[in-house]
Amino acid sequence: MQISAAWRLIARVFLPFAAGYYLSYLFRTINALISGHLISDTGLGTADLGLLTSVYFLVFAAAQIPIGILLDRFGPRRVQSALLLVAAAGAGLFAMSTGLPSLLISRAMIGLGVAAALTAGLKSIVLWFPRERVALLNGYMIMLGSFGAVTATTPTEYLLAWIGWRQLFEILAAVTGATAVLIYIVVPERVITPSIGSIPATLSSVFGDRRFWRIAPLSATCVGSAWSLQGLWAVPWLADVERLGREGLVGQLFIMSIVLCGGAWLFGTTVHFIRRRGVGAETILAVVAMFFIAAELALILRAPLPSILPWSVVAIVGTATVVSFAVTADYFPPELAGRANGAVNVLHFGWAFLAQYGTGLILEQWSTNDGHRAILAYQVAFGVNVALQIGALVWFALPSSLRSFTGWMGSIAFFAPVSVAEAVEPVVPYEQAIVLIPMDGDAEW
C-alpha cells in the first residue's frame, strides 16, 4: 500500500469510525460520573441506577448478532451512520427524561444506537487494511475510542460545573448526529468477493467452532466485569470503601481512563509483535485474566497497596477486546468478520449487563450507614464475579476433549442448524485468498 493511499484510508475510514467508537465509550461510562446527579434529580435507588446503567449493555448485547449480519450484508458505512442517528435521538430524550421509565427507554436507544460502533470499525479495518496490520489497528481504534472514558471524568466534571447533565446530553445528541452524517458522507464503500472454497457466511460457522467456545467465556467474564466496574461500581467503591471525596474520586477515575487508553495500545502492539514469533493471542488472554483476578482479589481482601494499582489493572482489562478480536480474526475469514465480532460482543456486553445489574442487587441487600455501605457488601458482590472468572479460566485450560460438546451449544442456543462436520471439526484458519475491490481508486494493494 502506498503511503499517500494509506493516509487517505486513515482519514476517510479509520478516523470516522474511531469517532463513533469514542462516542460509544463516552456514553458507556458517563453514568459513573453523573450518578449522583441522577439520584438527586430523579430519586433513583441503587438497584434502579444499576438497571439504568446496565440496560445499555443489555440492548447492546441483544443487537450484536443482527448487527453483525447487517455489517456483513450492507457494510459498516451504512449501518453505523443509521444507528448513530438512533443514539442521537436517545441522547436527546435522555436529556428531557424525568423518571425511570423514560430514562430506561432513552438509555436503551443510546445502547442500540452505538451497538455497532466497535464492530463496524473492526469490520472496516478488516475490509480496507492488510491482515498483518489488523491487530495493531484494532488496538489504535480501541485506544482512540477509550478517550471517551477519559472525557467522562475530569473534562466532564469541569463541564458540569458550567452546565447541567441535561444540557450535556443535548450537546452529545448534536455531536452524535453530526458524526452519523460525517460517516455516511466521507467513508467510501467496499465490495468483498469471497475466495473459492471459503466457508459459508453463516452464524453456525461461528457458534459451531469449538475454539470460539474455548475463549468466549473467559473473555466475556473478564472484559464484561471490567466494563461493569469502571462504568459504574468503581465510584461507590471509592466513596464507601476508600472514603474518597469528590475531587479524589474524579481524579482516580481520570487516571483509570488514561491507563485504559494505554492498555488498548499495549494490547494491540503486543499482539502485533508476538504473532511474528508464533505465539497465539489466546496466551495473552489467559495471562490478562490471571492479572485481572489477582487485582480483584487485592481489592476484595484489602491488600496493603495503593488502590489505584488494582483499579488500573481493572481499567486495562476493559481493553482486552483487542486480544479477543485478534483471536477471532485468526479463526474466521473477512466475510465472517461482522458475525464473529458480533458473537464475541454478545457475550461481552451480556455479561456486563449481568455483572452491573447483579452487583447492584447484591449491594442493596445491605443498608447504608451514614450514607455508606459496608465493605462486606462489596466484597460479596465482587467475589461472585471473581468466582465465575476463575471457573471460566479453568474451562479455558481444560483439554479440548472435555469441551467437544460445545460445537452443539451454538446451534441449540441460537437455533442455527450446524452440520456434523461443522460441529466436530473446527474451521480451518483462512489464508488471504480474497479479492478486495476498491470502489473509488483510493487504495492500492
Side-chain angles (χ1 to χ4, degrees), residues 84-318:
L84 282 179
L85 292 177
V86 177
L93 178 60
F94 195 90
M96 297 183 292
S97 298
T98 57
L100 181 61
S102 58
L103 286 170
L104 283 173
I105 292 172
S106 55
R107 179 74 174 168
M109 289 176 63
I110 294 172
L112 174 62
V114 297
L118 178 57
T119 48
L122 300 181
K123 177 75 174 183
S124 69
I125 290 172
V126 169
L127 290 180
W128 285 96
F129 295 90
R131 182 191 176 197
E132 63 271 14
R133 297 287 181 180
V134 167
L136 186 62
L137 288 170
N138 284 354
Y140 282 120
M141 172 74 70
I142 295 178
M143 180 189 73
L144 293 175
S146 299
F147 277 105
V150 177
T151 306
T153 58
T154 302
T156 300
E157 180 74 358
Y158 283 124
L159 189 58
L160 287 173
W162 293 88
I163 62 175
W165 64 272
R166 297 184 186 278
Q167 289 72 33
L168 173 63
F169 270 83
E170 290 174 356
I171 294 173
L172 289 176
V175 172
T176 304
T179 304
V181 174
L182 174 70
I183 290 174
Y184 188 81
I185 294 175
V186 172
V187 177
E189 289 286 353
R190 170 70 99 183
V191 173
I192 182 170
T193 303
S195 60
I196 298 174
S198 63
I199 61 175
T202 62
L203 278 174
S204 61
S205 302
V206 178
F207 290 112
D209 193 315
R210 287 181 296 178
R211 299 167 305 172
F212 174 86
W213 288 110
R214 181 191 179 205
I215 64 106
L218 184 62
S219 182
T221 54
C222 291
V223 173
S225 293
W227 289 348
S228 167
L229 292 172
Q230 183 165 10
L232 181 60
W233 297 120
V235 170
W237 170 282
L238 294 172
D240 292 345
V241 178
E242 304 294 337
R243 297 300 177 100
L244 295 183
R246 182 70 178 180
E247 183 177 349
L249 189 151
V250 174
Q252 187 141 323
L253 288 179
F254 179 76
I255 294 173
M256 289 171 61
S257 300
I258 295 295
V259 171
L260 178 76
C261 298
W265 173 84
L266 176 64
F267 285 137
T269 304
T270 302
V271 173
H272 176 68
F273 282 106
I274 70 164
R275 275 177 160 175
R276 297 181 176 181
R277 291 160 176 78
V279 180
E282 299 95 333
T283 303
I284 299 179
L285 184 62
V287 172
V288 168
M290 288 187 283
F291 274 104
F292 183 50
I293 292 170
E296 291 175 293
L297 289 174
L299 291 171
I300 293 170
L301 301 176
R302 306 292 289 134
L305 297 170
S307 66
I308 189 59
L309 295 180
W311 278 114
S312 293
V313 174
V314 171
I316 289 175
V317 173

